[in-house]
Amino acid sequence: MLHPIHRAIILLTAARAMRCPHTQLRLRLGAAEIRDTAAALVSGLEAAATDIESGNAQDALAAWTRATDAVAVGSAEVCLPALVATDAAARDAGAAAKRSIIDAFGTCYGRKALYDAIKASETTDPLLARARDKHVARFEANGLALADAAAREQVAKLKLELGAECAAMEQEINGDSSTVALTRDELEGVPAALVDALPVGDGDKLLVSLKAPTLTPVLQHARDPAARRKAYIAGTSRCPENARRLNRVVALRAQIAGLLGFASHAEGTLKGNMASSPDEVNAFLDRVVTRLKPKRDEDYASLLALKRSETPGADALDPWDTAYFGRQIRESKGIDEEALKPHFPASEVVPATIKALGEDLFGFTVRGPLDDAQLWHDDCELYEVAKDDIIVGHVALDLKSRDGKFGHQMVVPLRPALVNGAPNCCAVLGNMGDANGRLRFREVETLLHELGHVFHALAGAPKPSILGWAWPMVPWPGGVEMDMLEVPSMLTQQFVYAAAASETLSASTRPPRHRRVTGRPRRYAPAVLAKIARPHAETGASLPSKTIEALAENRHLLAGLGNARYIAMCRYDMAMHSLASAADVDACGLWQEIYRETAGFTEAPGTHFASTWYHMCIGYDAGYYSYLWSEVNAVDAYKQFGDELDAAAGRRFRECVLEPGAAAGGAAMMEAFLGRPFREDAYFERLGVPVSS
């Protein structure tokens, strides 16, 4: 007999929207179809909860697993439009659908009888036992372990309000298409191709988009400091209503944490992570700040010296100076991102990169882009990934900017692989490339990063969805620890810096210059960047080995200052989520002092960068440190690869880290791959920081 949610999905899949023949997902639903499908998913979930509570389900855990799995499979069709649809009505319907599913899970995880039934379930299957424990943790995060019914009701009420505020904050950022108006004179120094492609505003003003592909080169190249200041302030003053929302979000999180018996939201959120307490995270951040401070001060002095050459008497750097003078220092080292772009046409670099990582590193077979895929936009491409002739998943790549689309870079799961179900499916949502479809070098690095997430998402064997690859960007429960989530992506992005083997980029054509950490002679396979770069679009010349070597040698150029801002953001996240009281929260105001103390900069008055900080409303709250924590793990793991696409190490990493998903703990996975617990030494060694004995 079919479960109610399965009957509803079968009926709804007969709707007129096209299914992609590969993913078996309907990815072009209109607003009405989104609403109807979401309602069916919610109805099915609630029906399953009622069945379990009434005793009609013989096995409560199995029934709840089926119900949550079904929502996980069906949710992308209704939630993805909020991030990618060109139709505003579909985006709004998608946002409402996601909110309705989140609220439905929130309500179900607040039902005491359901909690009691799931917690009491017994199983001899270790995967189901781990799934049960994760479900129980969800119930208890909603206060179900509290004896006081009134307190449980208050937690549920506050969580609904919190979810609504986060959803509104996210959609405000998604929908933002702000620009800053600058004249051609103000844009002097900016590459002509970019300037010529800008839309015209009033009078002689050109409209500069505040999304990264346009804003970043303006901040890097505009010679007029007043113009850079104007662009920076515009970029950090968007979505002003979100400043109020962020204050309310932080206050609600503090209030909920108090009701649950935690000293702060950070304490409750970190429970179960690799770094399991605020003290552990803050100590980690303090160690890194202390060790990197000499490099930070050295970088600051280098940039300030350049500023003084243009502005005699300048006594401090401003936030809008770093990209501009940093670009000059990189160019002095032979690194000119604009000059490199003709080597990186996205149409050729993207398939080359996904094949290099998927096939050469992890041992998959990658096919694509597939001609007959039916995705949500003509800009999208679909790839198929197989292992031993069995399809393990599909990835859709949506990499170009457009109005209304998610404005950052991320991977979002579209469907987890379930036992007797279709394989994994995910999507990369990016904002990369210029008007000619060419990538900056940093965007190539970002591409490798996101593809690390992709192979993490696709590698997992079928298992309950709560143990699959996911993160809080989706409405269904699942995912690895937040501070493990970024380890594969932090690993794969490092390969963009693997040094060239030889002038001809062939194997073993000159003697090894050093030995791998394993003690084995280094095999000089072609550098990864050489594999994915194309001949120069105008001259036809290959990317020179000396350029690849310059990139590798200077990969940590200005890392002291660059890490300082990032660590300031980590500290800021921890500070706002360590507040014990919800009274008089000024989340944006906390940033000024932390930024000055950690990075040495005075923020522009009246700005509020956190109003467009996606991470605070999509699941990285009290978790932003996880990028650095993951990077430390990833650098330790990368030493096993010896700076090359080592297939044997890649297969071990796939088996030990990628395939388990959330079926194992992050620390255990890393220890299985490394043969020991992870260490921080490799991270500091790579940055040239002395390692203490």
Side-chain angles (χ1 to χ4, degrees):
M1 181 176 177
L2 284 174
H3 190 277
I5 195 168
H6 295 143
R7 286 198 298 270
I9 291 174
I10 288 171
L11 289 172
L12 286 164
T13 52
R16 59 182 171 82
M18 290 182 292
R19 274 187 175 193
C20 171
H22 303 282
T23 68
Q24 292 301 300
L25 293 171
R26 299 170 304 144
L27 298 168
R28 298 190 182 188
L29 296 183
E33 292 171 311
I34 290 170
R35 286 190 290 269
D36 289 346
T37 306
L41 292 171
V42 168
S43 176
L45 186 70
E46 292 171 344
T50 299
D51 282 350
I52 294 168
E53 290 175 330
S54 66
N56 291 336
Q58 292 183 343
D59 184 333
L61 178 59
W64 187 239
T65 298
R66 286 194 300 271
T68 54
D69 285 354
V71 177
V73 168
S75 65
E77 295 183 341
V78 299
C79 298
L80 187 67
L83 302 169
V84 301
T86 55
D87 174 46
R91 288 198 303 271
D92 291 344
K98 179 179 175 181
R99 183 74 257 149
S100 69
I101 295 171
I102 291 173
D103 289 347
F105 272 114
T107 299
C108 288
Y109 282 120
R111 293 167 70 157
K112 185 68 163 58
L114 182 61
Y115 166 63
D116 291 339
I118 301 299
K119 188 174 183 181
S121 295
E122 296 182 358
T123 179
T124 58
D125 183 330
L127 281 181
L128 282 176
R130 185 169 175 83
R132 177 197 59 210
D133 293 345
K134 285 187 169 288
H135 284 302
V136 167
R138 293 268 175 169
F139 283 104
E140 293 181 351
N142 278 352
L144 270 294
L146 297 174
D148 186 348
R152 294 198 299 269
E153 291 175 7
Q154 180 70 354
V155 169
K157 178 182 176 182
L158 293 174
K159 285 223 167 188
L160 285 174
E161 183 184 352
L162 173 61
E165 291 283 10
C166 287
M169 190 173 176
E170 180 187 336
Q171 283 307 106
E172 183 78 9
I173 300 170
N174 284 344
D176 180 70
S177 56
S178 300
T179 59
V180 59
L182 297 172
T183 65
R184 284 187 175 270
D185 287 344
E186 289 176 310
L187 291 168
E188 182 184 357
V190 178
L194 187 150
V195 175
D196 292 341
L198 295 174
V200 178
D202 295 333
D204 62 346
K205 298 291 182 71
L206 299 175
L207 301 180
V208 176
S209 168
L210 298 179
K211 291 189 176 182
T214 306
L215 180 61
T216 297
V218 169
L219 291 173
Q220 288 176 330
H221 292 272
R223 296 194 182 103
D224 182 355
R228 297 198 306 271
R229 180 180 187 275
K230 188 186 298 186
Y232 175 87
I233 288 177
T236 50
S237 300
R238 291 178 292 149
C239 306
E241 180 61 18
N242 276 354
R244 179 205 63 77
R245 290 190 180 111
L246 182 61
N247 285 339
R248 183 58 181 155
V249 162
V250 171
L252 286 167
R253 286 170 177 159
Q255 192 174 355
I256 293 167
L259 288 167
L260 294 175
F262 295 111
S264 67
H265 175 70
E267 182 182 272
T269 298
L270 292 170
K271 183 181 178 182
N273 276 11
M274 294 175 74
S276 58
S277 72
D279 286 347
E280 187 174 0
V281 171
N282 287 323
F284 167 69
L285 295 174
D286 290 347
R287 281 197 305 276
V288 178
V289 167
T290 301
R291 301 280 289 278
L292 294 185
K293 187 176 185 300
K295 292 188 73 68
R296 184 204 77 176
D297 294 345
E298 180 183 328
D299 293 346
Y300 191 99
S302 297
L303 294 187
L304 183 57
L306 280 176
K307 182 174 182 178
R308 285 171 176 161
S309 70
E310 294 190 10
T311 309
D315 59 359
L317 291 172
D318 291 305
W320 49 88
D321 291 329
T322 56
Y324 177 70
F325 293 110
R327 188 257 314 159
Q328 292 183 21
I329 287 180
R330 284 190 291 274
E331 288 181 358
S332 73
K333 303 291 186 179
I335 302 170
D336 182 349
E337 288 213 18
E338 287 301 313
L340 290 177
K341 281 165 61 176
H343 288 287
F344 300 126
S347 61
E348 298 179 57
V349 167
V350 170
T353 305
I354 192 170
K355 287 178 183 291
L357 291 181
E359 297 186 346
D360 298 346
L361 184 64
F362 294 131
F364 294 111
T365 300
V366 178
R367 189 169 70 90
L370 306 177
D371 293 335
D372 56 343
Q374 295 289 343
L375 302 175
W376 52 89
H377 195 277
D378 291 343
D379 287 342
C380 302
E381 294 180 334
L382 188 70
Y383 288 79
E384 178 181 278
V385 177
K387 182 181 74 172
D388 301 327
D389 296 325
I390 297 173
I391 296 172
V392 298
H394 294 90
V395 55
L397 304 181
D398 183 358
L399 301 181
K400 297 179 182 178
S401 293
R402 59 180 179 271
D403 287 346
K405 179 187 167 187
F406 178 81
H408 195 49
Q409 332 285 345
M410 73 168 177
V411 175
V412 59
L414 301 182
R415 182 188 57 230
L418 306 175
V419 176
N420 298 322
N424 296 293
C425 188
C426 67
V428 182
L429 306 184
N431 290 269
M432 304 179 189
D434 62 13
N436 295 313
R438 296 172 179 177
L439 302 174
R440 291 182 293 119
F441 170 73
R442 293 290 178 178
E443 291 175 324
V444 177
E445 182 181 7
T446 297
L447 177 64
L448 267 78
H449 175 98
E450 300 303 340
L451 289 175
H453 285 310
V454 165
F455 291 112
H456 199 184
L458 301 188
K463 57 178 71 74
S465 59
I466 199 167
L467 302 180
W469 188 91
W471 59 296
M473 192 65 191
V474 294
W476 45 274
V480 300
E481 299 104 312
M482 286 300 293
D483 47 12
M484 183 65 193
L485 180 68
E486 300 289 339
V487 171
S489 55
M490 290 291 187
L491 173 78
T492 53
Q493 78 178 51
Q494 294 179 70
F495 285 103
V496 79
Y497 292 102
S502 69
E503 291 299 326
T504 60
L505 301 175
S506 62
S508 302
T509 58
R510 62 183 179 186
R513 290 172 293 181
H514 62 279
R515 297 172 71 85
R516 300 182 64 197
V517 294
T518 58
R520 291 186 282 119
R522 178 184 168 105
R523 299 188 307 277
Y524 276 85
V528 177
L529 200 58
K531 290 174 68 68
I532 64 179
R534 305 294 96 176
H536 192 284
E538 280 81 41
T539 68
S542 298
L543 183 64
S545 294
K546 66 180 181 180
T547 299
I548 301 176
E549 291 176 347
L551 290 166
E553 290 169 5
N554 294 285
R555 65 183 300 180
H556 301 303
L557 193 66
L558 304 177
L561 203 55
N563 276 308
R565 178 179 172 87
Y566 165 70
I567 296 169
M569 294 169 72
C570 297
R571 283 177 151 177
Y572 173 43
D573 172 32
M574 291 302 297
M576 76 170 87
H577 290 115
S578 294
L579 297 171
S581 170
D584 301 322
V585 169
D586 180 13
C588 289
L590 286 172
W591 169 245
Q592 305 279 349
E593 182 178 351
I594 292 171
Y595 189 33
R596 184 168 52 250
E597 176 190 343
T598 308
F601 287 87
T602 299
E603 187 60 279
T607 59
H608 39 80
F609 92 93
S611 293
T612 52
W613 194 8
Y614 268 114
H615 296 76
M616 292 304 99
C617 59
I618 61 173
Y620 275 84
D621 44 287
Y624 198 62
Y625 79 92
S626 62
Y627 285 99
L628 183 59
W629 182 276
S630 293
E631 185 177 6
V632 170
N633 276 264
V635 172
D636 199 13
Y638 184 74
K639 291 184 70 173
Q640 304 292 312
F641 293 84
D643 228 19
E644 63 185 66
L645 296 175
D646 186 322
R651 181 177 292 273
R652 284 197 303 108
F653 191 80
R654 188 188 80 195
E655 293 171 349
C656 294
V657 178
L658 303 184
E659 292 179 355
M669 287 189 280
M670 288 304 299
E671 188 164 351
F673 176 69
L674 295 169
R676 56 166 172 77
F678 84 91
R679 295 194 287 257
E680 297 176 4
D681 291 358
Y683 174 76
F684 291 113
E685 286 172 351
R686 194 181 71 175
L687 293 176
V689 175
V691 176
S692 58
S693 58

